Every structure is written in structure tokens, then in C-alpha cells.
Amino acid sequence: METKQVSKLLGDGGKRIDLVYRYVPEPANTAAGADPQGRLTDILRYYKNLCPHRLVITGAPGAGKTVLALQLILANLDPREARLVPVRFSLTGWDTVVPLEDWLAEQITVRFGIAARHAKALLGQRRVLPVLDGLDEMDAPDTPVEHRRASRALAHLNKYQDAKGSAPVILTCRTDQYRELAESGVRMRDAARVEIRPLSHVQVIEYLTDRITSPSRWRPVLEAIADPDSVLAKALNSPWRLNLVTTVYEPNPLVAEPRHLAEPADLLTLAAPDDIRDHLMSHYVSAALLRHPDGDQYSPQRTHRWLAEIAARLAVVESTGSRGTDIALHELWPLAGVHRVRLADGLLTSLLCLAALWSVHGMLSVFPRPGVLPPPVELLWLPTLWRAGKASVPAPRTLQLHRLRFRPQRRQMRRALVIGSLGGSLAGLLGAVEISFAFACPWAVAGTYGLAGGLVVGSALGLAAAITAPVADAAPTNGYVQPTDPRHLVRDDLVTGLMVAAFFGAAVGLTLGPVLGLPVGCTYGLAVGLMFGLYWWGGAGRRYLVALWCFRGRLPWRLGAFLHWAAEAGLLRISGAGYQFRHRELQDWLVDHPDPQEHQQALAGAAIQ
């Protein structure tokens, strides 16, 4: 996964910019062994020379901080040194009221499907190397230093210890934000700070020369960049800007009909770096779609409008003071309005319960005892309504089918099946007592059907628990688990909830069928099963669907598919269990330019070849 992200960040070509970084001395409490300067290609050696192994990577926006951190992760993933496994975390989702290790354990559980107690054990044994990305994105720019989550995060990191002292950590942050924190006396202790240097005009020319396919089109631009004091040399001195300019002006040879939107010489008409940035941004979405093999799946106008809608909601919804960058499907519902979604969820619950009550009462009217209604529908109504309206939603249940390859997980599954079958059988016998008394049904008949139905329901619940429960006795290094596709979190939660509802409905229908009739029994079982499966068993997938309904007309119905497609197009990137915009500059630009028609005139005037 991280290898693919590095490829996306660096672009399509084979050229890899060997970023240069310099050591920034701190007054005291710094790591020993830091060289005055280093390069991207020797980042692992640089890191291993530090004592303790604590590194802060700083740089200007787009300088390549995440690229350098990812390169260190990939270089550190040596199977012969599996004691310490690097895992990247996005800091924007951390509520610093929660202790660092508890938050890291929660993230590992959601992303890798590892049981919480085992995730905490891995962290307690210091077998996970936290690579914490985006300290500067935890707070809004105008937040006072003393009120910033970043300040509290650094306080937590300074308490993160192992047997030798300060435990290994890698942290990324923009230079200006980290300098503000350091000047106020808040920084990561016992760490070496390095700052990525801007690209030289020589590096820019070498990169472009390697990436371009038609040197004659780029000759005026390359000649201008040869002057290190030129506007172009200053505007294109970061990996992000270089990737941006090649995306806009270079066609993708892998698509069926390679095209580009404009000529690179257009850049020579712009007088300032900000003008160059705005010019590239105005073409970026359309250019990314032209380079994508499936770029015609969504139009540039709709893509721009939907991404701008997400960016705008991220900008205003955050209650923590940060602007927000993470787009996780199971955590997206507050963007549609917290109260609106909770009200819609409660309304959906009421409609479901009323439909169940009406259908069961109506069907029972054709039987000899129409006044008797199986009580769980009425008993579950108010508790389910309360659960549907809660502000907190349980973590999504992920399917871990690959665990069947390993003996410990097969034992865990057998144990869950046995417990579920026994529990279901006992519940079925208790239900048989109620059926026998309520309908004057012979005990032998009621007991037989109750036992059979309970066995089916219990086995189904046991199976669902076995294939969704976090993995026990597993670490990210031993092959038991793999990171989850961000789209699969809500999908798996919905699948398991509906599976539980279907088995429950079928079992109860077969059990109550001889007494109430098969239609009544199945209707009753499905109603209770849906309430249990979608509200008590799961919840993240249901809340996501409710949020999509509240988003109607403003975001696509197949939002997960769109976000993944946008990541493949290079507009977004995958980060943990969610997505982020390709760069913060793109997210901020979309907030300021939500109208896709704003630059339509400029795009229409560009030559499409």
C-alpha cells in the first residue's frame, strides 16, 4: 500500500528526486548522531545513526515531507528486522484528550483488524514504530499556540518512553508551524529535526527532462528555469509543484488517446509564483481526468463540484478548531450535519418499527388469536430508537476471511461457532416456553422448532462474530492481517448486519411458522433481525447510508467508488482507513474556488491536442 502511495506522490516517470535535507540544531534535549546533511536515498542510514531513534521531518508546503517519511517506512520494512514495524498514522483524527497509546491501538484495530488488547500489547512492547504525519494539520492557522492540539500532541510524545528512555517516533510538520511551537517552548524532545531544502533549478531541470516526452514544447520553460532567480524556478521548486506542472502539461502515454490541455509556454506569461499556482490549479482536475484511463467516468465539472463540496464541509464542520483533512467513509456522516443525520436515522428507525408492527398485526388478524403479538418488536423499539439517535457510532466490523488460512484463527472461529450454537439453542428453548404458553402449543412441537431456530440463529451469530471480530495473537508482520480498503469498512459492516438479519428472519420464520404461519413468522423475524443487525450488531454502515441520503444532490450516491476513482486519478490519496486530498494546497484551493465554471472560459480557450 505504501509503495503505491509513494508512486502516486512522485508521479508517473521513473525519475526520483533525491531530496536534500539539513539538520537543524535545537538548544537542548536532541538526539545524538545526526549528520549535518542527508539525502532521500540514505534516509534509513541517517535515521539509524540517531540515538534515540526520534526524527522530526520539517519543510515548506509540498517540499516532500510525506515522501521522505514513506521512503523511510519502505526502507525500514526489512523482514529480517521484524521487531519494530513502521506504521503511518494521520494526526488530524487524534483527539488529544485520548492518550497516545490508546489512540494508536484504536487505529491499529480499525485498520488491521487486530484485537484491541493485542494492539495495546504490541505498542506496550514497542514493536510498532509510529510514523505520525501532519502535525501542522491538527489546528487551524489562527489557533493560539497554547490552545493547539499540536501542543498537546507533542506533550504526549515527550512522555512516550521505552526501557532505554524516549521511544522511537517519526514526525512530520511544516517548518513554520513547528518553529512557532518550538519558540513557545513546545517541541519533541530527544529528537533530531531535519528540514527539507527547496529544489535547486538544476534538480528541476533534470526532473522535467526525464519526464517530458516532447522536448521542443518545453524548451522555453527549461531555458527560463535555468535562471535560478526566475519566477518559474522559484514557483516550481518543490516535488508537489513539479508533479502538478507535469500532470497539467504532459499527456499520459498509457491512456488510449493521450492529450494535454495547454502548452507549457503559457507559464512564461505569468508574472508571479501565486499566478502560476492558480493557473496550474485551474487546470489540474481536468488534466488529471485526461491522464486517467477511466477519466470519462465522471465529468471534470461534476468532479470539481463534488470535491469542492467535500473540501468546504471539511473546512467548517470540525469542532476541534482544525480544518480537517481525513475523509473516512464511516466517519463522514457529521459532514452532512450532525443533528440532521441523527434525526434522519431516528426517523428511519421509527418507520422500520412501525412497518414491522403494522405488518405483523395485520397478518395475525387472519389467525385465531389476533391479539397476541410477539413482544420483542415492541420491547426493542425505544432502545433501538435511542441507539439510532446517538452521536457516537460503533467502529465498523470488517470481514477477516483471510484468517481461515491460519490455524489459530480457525480455532477462534470454531470456538465462536460453538458458543453461538449453545447460546442460540438455550435462547430457542426459552422462546419455546413462551410459544407453548401463549398459543397452547404442545411442548414437543414448540421445543423442537425453538431448538432448531435457536441453533440456526446462534450459529449465524457465531459465524458473523468469528469473521468480523478482531484477530487475536497477531501482528502486522506475521501475515495474518492486511490493511483494509477504505471502501470495505462500511461495506463489510452492512454485509454482516444484513446477514444477521436474514438468518434471524429465516430461523424465526421457520420456528414460528407452524404456529403463526410462515408469512407472519418471517415478517416478525426479519423486522427484529433488521433492528438487531443494523442497530445493535453494527451501525457504521447504516449511518453512512443515512448520511448519503442527507447529502442527496450534493455528492454522488456511490461516494466510496467516486473517492477511490479520484485517488486513482491522483486527486486524492489513501491515508490509513480513509482518503485525503492529494495536497493541502489543492484542498484549500477548492474551498476558495467551488464553482467549476469559474475557469471554464480559460479552459475553453486552451488548445486540446
Side-chain angles (χ1 to χ4, degrees):
M1 180 67 75
E2 301 293 20
T3 303
K4 187 174 182 180
Q5 292 305 304
V6 170
S7 177
K8 288 284 185 185
L9 291 173
L10 292 176
D12 301 328
K15 181 68 174 180
R16 295 296 181 259
I17 303 174
D18 198 9
L19 300 174
V20 177
Y21 48 89
R22 66 179 180 87
Y23 171 64
V24 181
E26 300 283 359
N29 295 323
T30 59
D35 294 334
Q37 185 170 290
R39 307 186 76 90
L40 176 70
T41 50
D42 67 351
I43 181 62
L44 181 60
R45 180 199 59 79
Y46 192 98
Y47 176 72
K48 287 191 172 182
N49 286 340
L50 300 179
C51 184
H53 297 309
R54 291 164 69 88
L55 179 66
V56 181
I57 301 172
T58 60
K65 300 179 292 296
T66 301
V67 171
L68 191 60
L70 288 174
Q71 183 65 28
L72 183 53
I73 289 175
L74 296 176
N76 221 359
L77 285 175
D78 188 343
R80 296 169 297 180
E81 300 180 7
R83 189 190 67 82
L84 192 64
V85 181
V87 181
R88 182 165 63 103
F89 302 90
S90 175
L91 283 172
T92 56
W94 180 20
D95 181 359
T96 50
V97 175
V98 179
L100 174 63
E101 290 192 45
D102 292 345
W103 177 71
L104 294 176
E106 178 186 350
Q107 295 296 304
I108 291 174
T109 297
V110 172
R111 290 171 54 185
F112 297 98
I114 298 176
R117 64 181 184 278
H118 296 290
K120 290 182 178 179
L122 291 172
L123 290 165
Q125 298 165 8
R126 297 298 183 258
R127 293 185 58 191
V128 175
L129 169 59
V131 181
L132 307 175
D133 194 12
L135 182 72
D136 53 284
E137 295 176 343
M138 297 185 72
D139 304 281
D142 56 351
T143 305
V145 174
E146 62 272 15
H147 296 151
R148 292 183 184 178
R149 287 193 299 158
S151 299
R152 298 191 293 272
L154 289 172
H156 282 288
L157 290 173
N158 290 333
K159 298 176 183 178
Y160 189 60
Q161 306 284 317
D162 61 14
K164 298 180 181 179
S166 296
V169 173
I170 300 170
L171 179 69
T172 72
C173 183
R174 290 186 180 183
T175 299
D176 292 342
Q177 282 82 345
Y178 193 82
R179 186 185 295 121
E180 289 180 3
L181 293 167
E183 289 174 353
S184 67
V186 183
R187 60 182 176 86
M188 192 162 80
R189 306 289 179 173
D190 298 326
R193 178 163 83 92
V194 298
E195 182 178 354
I196 301 175
R197 305 296 297 161
L199 300 179
S200 67
H201 68 288
V202 175
Q203 288 177 300
V204 173
I205 292 175
E206 289 179 350
Y207 178 83
L208 290 176
T209 302
D210 183 80
R211 286 286 304 273
I212 62 180
T213 57
S214 179
S216 60
R217 296 178 59 239
W218 286 86
R219 186 173 295 113
V221 173
L222 297 178
E223 291 174 353
I225 296 175
D227 178 7
D229 295 325
S230 67
V231 174
L232 272 179
K234 294 177 180 179
L236 304 179
N237 64 352
S238 69
W240 157 242
R241 289 288 179 84
L242 283 180
N243 187 270
L244 187 61
V245 75
T246 52
T247 299
V248 171
Y249 290 113
E250 270 297 291
N252 184 0
L254 299 180
V255 300
E257 298 180 2
R259 296 180 294 168
H260 53 82
L261 283 171
E263 291 296 327
D266 295 343
L267 295 171
L268 301 177
T269 64
L270 304 172
D274 288 347
D275 295 334
I276 294 175
R277 177 203 62 197
D278 291 340
H279 175 77
L280 294 175
M281 285 295 183
S282 66
H283 290 78
Y284 183 58
V285 173
S286 297
L289 267 58
L290 284 179
R291 297 173 60 84
H292 195 291
D294 297 325
D296 56 351
Q297 186 172 351
Y298 302 98
S299 69
Q301 292 76 20
R302 288 194 301 168
T303 302
H304 183 115
R305 186 171 63 252
W306 290 336
L307 292 178
E309 178 73 20
I310 295 173
R313 290 180 181 270
L314 288 173
V316 300
V317 170
E318 290 291 333
S319 59
T320 58
S322 67
R323 197 156 182 182
T325 59
D326 290 351
I327 312 169
L329 293 179
H330 62 286
E331 298 175 348
L332 198 64
W333 66 269
L335 301 185
V338 174
H339 299 297
R340 183 183 184 187
V341 174
R342 291 173 63 186
L343 181 62
D345 207 351
L347 177 62
L348 177 65
T349 308
S350 298
L351 291 176
L352 176 64
C353 293
L354 286 173
L357 287 170
W358 176 82
S359 60
V360 173
H361 271 296
M363 290 183 180
L364 280 174
S365 63
V366 301
F367 287 89
R369 303 192 62 177
V372 179
L373 179 67
V377 173
E378 295 172 326
L379 295 179
L380 282 175
W381 187 353
L382 290 180
T384 304
L385 185 62
W386 167 81
R387 188 172 179 84
K390 289 182 64 177
S392 60
V393 179
R397 293 179 176 268
T398 58
L399 292 172
Q400 305 284 345
L401 297 178
H402 57 273
R403 69 179 57 186
L404 295 175
R405 294 179 296 167
F406 306 100
R407 184 174 300 174
Q409 309 313 316
R410 288 198 295 268
R411 286 199 300 267
Q412 181 180 349
M413 180 169 289
R414 287 195 296 268
R415 185 164 56 249
L417 281 172
V418 170
I419 294 175
S421 300
L422 292 177
S425 300
L426 179 61
L429 290 175
L430 293 177
V433 174
E434 180 185 352
I435 294 173
S436 179
F437 280 103
F439 296 96
C441 180
W443 166 248
V445 176
T448 301
Y449 281 102
L451 181 63
L455 184 63
V456 173
V457 173
S459 300
L461 293 179
L463 178 62
I467 61 178
T468 58
V471 178
D473 302 322
T477 58
N478 59 16
Y480 286 164
V481 292
Q482 296 294 330
T484 304
D485 186 316
R487 297 171 295 174
H488 293 174
L489 290 173
V490 293
R491 183 204 66 180
D492 292 352
D493 191 81
L494 281 171
V495 167
T496 55
L498 292 175
M499 181 182 71
V500 168
F503 274 100
F504 198 97
V508 173
L510 293 175
T511 304
L512 299 181
V515 180
L516 301 177
L518 191 60
V520 177
C522 288
T523 302
Y524 166 68
L526 185 59
V528 177
L530 283 173
M531 284 188 282
F532 179 76
L534 297 181
Y535 292 90
W536 295 93
W537 177 265
R542 182 203 75 251
R543 182 61 65 88
Y544 167 71
L545 292 181
V546 174
L548 284 184
W549 183 79
C550 294
F551 274 129
R552 64 193 184 282
R554 305 194 67 87
L555 289 177
W557 283 109
R558 298 187 63 213
L559 181 58
F562 167 73
L563 293 177
H564 205 76
W565 173 87
E568 292 295 324
L571 299 170
L572 303 176
R573 63 181 181 182
I574 295 176
S575 177
Y579 301 90
Q580 292 180 344
F581 280 90
R582 170 66 176 76
H583 195 272
R584 185 57 181 264
E585 191 174 63
L586 173 61
Q587 178 180 342
D588 293 341
W589 191 87
L590 286 169
V591 172
D592 297 332
H593 302 82
D595 185 4
Q597 303 299 324
E598 180 180 354
H599 299 279
Q600 192 64 32
Q601 184 176 0
L603 292 176
I608 300 178
Q609 301 180 4

